[in-house]
Amino acid sequence: MDYEKIGLKVGLEIHQQLDTSEKLFCSCRPQLFKEEPEITFLRGLRPTQSELGQVDPAAYFEFQKGVKILYEANRATSCLVEMDEEPPHPLNPEAVETVLTVALMMKAKPVDEVHVMRKTVIDGSNTTGFQRTCVIALDGEIKVGEKTVPIQHAGLEEDAARKTGEESGNVTRYRIDRLGIPLIEVATAPVIKSPREAEEVALAIGGILRATGKVIRGLGTIRQDVNISISNGALMEIKGLQELDLVPLVVEYEVQRQINLIGIVEELNLAGVRQESLKEEFFDISPIFKQTKCKVISKALNVNQQVLAVRLTKFRGFLKRELMPGFRLGTEMADRARFWGRVGGIFHTDEMPAYGITTEEVDELRKTVKAQDEDAVVFVADKAENARDALRAVLERAREALKGVPAETRAPNADGTTRYMRPRPGAARMYPETDIPPIQITQDYVRRVSMRLPELPEQKLERLTKAYKLNQKLAKQILDSEYGELFETIVKESNVLPTTVAAFMTETAKALKRDGVHVENVSDNQIREIFRALGSGRVTKEAVPEIVNWLSQHENNTVEDAISKIGLKMLSNEELEKVVDSVMERNRTLIQERGENAFAPLIGMVMKEVRGKAVAASVSELVKKKLERASKE
Ligand SMILES: [Zn+2]
């Protein structure tokens, strides 16, 4: 793919939770809880109006549908501020200082006065109907390889409540423990030109954030918004990407999707499809399915719901056209239907016969909606009102397919593809937060923060390669790993070889995560303790992954607990000798036949029995000694 030729432009907006002792606008602990909530309360959505009088269409739509939100809370992690029953307290200065630090590391210019603004949110993720946000500095830059990437702004935001479920009757559950945790926001200019470069820039920003030592690690603590556009396409905002590794793939797939959509416009126009031939004419085709084998449909009909259909003139074949791997134009319509109609999904004739729907039923429904051979039919089984909303959304998406790529806000799927989240919000979504006084950022304050800026990642890279004799690649991997900040501390206090510590940070931790171990449950202090134990010979290198795994499943336990519970106590010399003797005893024939050449297989057998409980070097020494003695006899 020639990304330059298609005019790819990518901008990143990175959000990461800050490790402060209090939330952004109150004194609650910035922490999540796992238990049952102590408090719940139900609220209706209200479409907040900006001062210019604009109402977000998606918010208004949800409001009309009477969507209700059930909020969950406990006392340790939320108070009346999160419940929107008490005005917010002044901005948390600790959070402001961290953002200012990052901003200065990126050579951005701090604003004189910080003004908190309200940004409309429409999904109930905030009890107030808006998110509070403020700009701390503007116009910075970072170096990524040879390239200078402009940083548009560095700001501070409150994190939103997290969704914990959907219930029937238009009720959505949100937990407000996360609401109000400070988030730093760093936005680049849209100057990134390839998927690979997007990942490099994200890594570089992540490195600077971690260098402050003031960000929270682990899944869900970092979220990136990726803005992607190509010539003749549209600006797409992909929101809330949690895994950095997915950034290049998301960009690649989005480019694919837009190119395919542009191709479809041309073909539809060539086929002579017109806006006016896509009519809002819905047919009740329920009678056709009286005896159907399709479970979804028969279940719906049993509770007096309906099957409604719409004809998409000359769309036959287009709905099954693949836009991204496993994702078709029909999928795109289904996403719209789910959002606007709150239905489970749609059926369309391009995928028929399927789901227990027979060819006869398809022929019958085509006849009922007066579909010609070249037409497609989309149908939905749900409450009549929902089905109508869903089909309206499908029709709207079909009309857009004649024009080009619709601008949307999308959400990432686990495989790197994306799905429709909501329409792009219009301009003027921000208005001033009058409950919070502006705060000054004085020259003097900026000077003081400037004087104690953390080392930049590239400076640290230089220093690590020299001081610990690491090659550039490994040193870079350490810095890019989540544990980069711990590396030096651990090496200094544990006396473990730098390469051993590095291997844990760059390989072991990743491998454990891939195997589903929640490494983020193990604290920095515990990791340091593990390495101190390794350095003092209390555990072996091989035992480290096992200890991390155990601790990740037993929170509030110590490293010592782990060592004794998994039986990782080191063998004494006598105990080790016993194992060696017994292995040699069992393999007497082997030793007689091969003499000193039995060394390798013997070592293998002994290590198998003592792995994690003895150091390989002492095993090897012991076996060698005993073997020499045995062959002399
Ligand atoms: Zn609070």
Side-chain angles (χ1 to χ4, degrees), residues 23 25-29 77-82 89 179:
K23 284 190 179 178
F25 297 112
C26 66
S27 302
C28 291
R29 252 188 290 149
T77 60
S78 17
C79 64
L80 292 174
V81 173
E82 287 92 335
H89 307 180
L179 180 60

Side-chain angles (χ1 to χ4, degrees), residues 166-183:
E166 297 249 8
E167 279 167 33
S168 56
N170 288 350
V171 172
T172 308
R173 271 177 182 267
Y174 276 98
R175 191 164 282 205
I176 60 172
D177 48 4
R178 198 177 69 178
L179 180 60
I181 294 183
L183 285 178

Side-chain angles (χ1 to χ4, degrees), residues 11 32 53 145 162 174 191 210 246 260 381 424 472 477 519 558:
L32 307 184
R162 58 193 174 108
Y174 276 98
V191 296
R210 280 195 308 274
L246 274 186
N260 286 326
R424 291 260 305 158
Q472 281 267 335
Q477 283 177 338
V519 183
T558 66

Side-chain angles (χ1 to χ4, degrees), residues 18-24 26-31 76 92 94-95 182 214 216:
L18 297 181
D19 192 6
T20 47
S21 50
E22 296 180 355
K23 284 190 179 178
L24 194 52
C26 66
S27 302
C28 291
R29 252 188 290 149
Q31 236 173 39
N92 176 345
E94 191 189 359
K214 299 284 270 176
I216 304 181

